[in-house]
Amino acid sequence: MQLERILQKHGFGTRKGCRSLIRHERVAINGQVCDDPFAEIPTEGLIFSVDGVDWPYLEYASLMLNKPVGYECSRKPKHHQGVLELLPVPLREREVQPIGRLDEDTTGLLLITNDGQLNHALSSAKRKVPKVYLATTKHPLDQAQIDQLLAGVLLNDEPEPIVAAGAEIAGANLLRLTVTEGKYHQVKRMVAAVGNRVEELHREAVGELSLPDDLKPGEWRWLTPADLQKLGYSA
């Protein structure tokens, strides 16, 4: 593939803009500067750099982000900063979007992609992909509340009780809750239904993919083939 097309595909601007980047010697292939926009570059395993920052050649941009408090999971945020503002411009230009949403005050594992099939696979209600949350509650938890969550609680506007896929006390005021739906404010509403209240909420995992301990709030990294496997997805 021509180098200028590779840059354009990866969000570095128009063909003309990418051509200018290359001709001004700001692009390197495997560490070697290339100033020919029309150079044919093999894409398999390709690592290119722009202004010293490495980028892998990827057909789709799929990544995980440790979402901090105060960001909306929307391409057009209304009341707070958009979570996509935490990403480099080239990624945003590839029209990535969050898979599902976390509330503005919820933190933790957020998956972002421009792969429509991956988005659908993880968002589809039929797939029942488990999501694990750690909720800090206003009042101490007891086993009766856990039993209620596991038996099912009836939420407003829902015809059937919502059953937790998993629930356990992780501390006096800490609830680890696993859900397979993606209903509006689901965790907060389920906790309220058993007579408690969520004060803080953090998503720890999606499927078998957990948020890495070394990924700090606001940081992101690419999803690897192993990560996708843990999500039950193979491209």
Side-chain angles (χ1 to χ4, degrees):
M1 185 181 293
Q2 287 184 345
L3 183 55
E4 68 171 17
R5 287 187 58 207
I6 291 173
L7 263 64
Q8 184 186 31
K9 178 180 174 67
H10 284 75
F12 286 91
T14 63
R15 293 280 283 271
K16 182 178 179 181
C18 293
R19 203 172 299 155
S20 176
L21 282 174
I22 296 165
R23 285 178 170 157
H24 282 85
E25 299 186 349
R26 295 169 61 185
V27 180
I29 304 297
N30 298 322
Q32 298 295 316
V33 172
C34 180
D35 60 4
D36 180 3
F38 309 109
E40 290 288 341
I41 307 296
T43 57
E44 186 172 355
L46 171 65
I47 302 290
F48 65 93
S49 63
V50 179
D51 294 330
V53 177
D54 287 344
W55 294 87
Y57 178 91
L58 295 169
E59 187 67 24
Y60 294 104
S62 299
L63 54 114
M64 67 167 70
L65 171 80
N66 187 348
K67 179 189 173 296
V69 168
Y71 287 85
E72 289 186 30
C73 292
S74 171
R75 289 188 62 84
K76 296 180 179 179
K78 296 180 179 179
H79 306 294
H80 303 273
Q81 288 180 288
V83 71
L84 298 181
E85 293 177 40
L86 295 167
L87 304 178
V89 172
L91 275 177
R92 286 182 262 161
E93 290 296 319
R94 294 188 72 177
E95 298 188 343
V96 295
Q97 60 183 339
I99 301 176
R101 294 190 175 189
L102 295 178
D103 297 337
E104 172 271 327
D105 58 352
T106 299
T107 62
L109 179 60
L110 181 66
L111 303 176
I112 298 173
T113 191
N114 61 358
D115 182 344
Q117 287 188 333
L118 174 61
N119 197 332
H120 176 74
L122 297 180
S123 301
S124 171
K126 294 180 180 179
R127 287 286 306 277
K128 292 188 177 296
V129 178
K131 293 114 182 160
V132 183
Y133 293 86
L134 187 66
T136 302
T137 59
K138 182 175 182 178
H139 308 293
L141 294 151
D142 57 39
Q143 190 58 44
Q145 292 174 332
I146 299 298
D147 293 342
Q148 279 182 272
L149 291 166
L150 292 172
V153 293
L154 191 59
L155 307 180
N156 289 338
D157 302 324
E158 296 296 335
E160 301 290 337
I162 304 298
V163 179
E168 63 180 15
I169 297 174
N173 291 69
L174 283 177
L175 168 69
R176 181 166 284 110
L177 187 70
T178 303
V179 299
T180 56
E181 302 86 1
K183 300 184 183 299
Y184 180 71
H185 287 171
Q186 182 175 344
V187 173
K188 295 175 181 177
R189 292 163 67 203
M190 290 180 73
V191 172
V194 299
N196 213 322
R197 176 176 169 176
V198 172
E199 300 284 282
E200 295 179 9
L201 189 60
H202 178 80
R203 185 155 72 185
E204 295 183 319
V206 175
E208 296 181 7
L209 179 64
S210 298
L211 183 69
D213 292 336
D214 60 352
L215 194 66
K216 298 176 182 177
E219 292 184 345
W220 67 276
R221 72 167 174 79
W222 300 109
L223 289 180
T224 66
D227 293 332
L228 293 172
Q229 218 170 28
K230 290 178 181 178
L231 293 168
Y233 181 82
S234 56

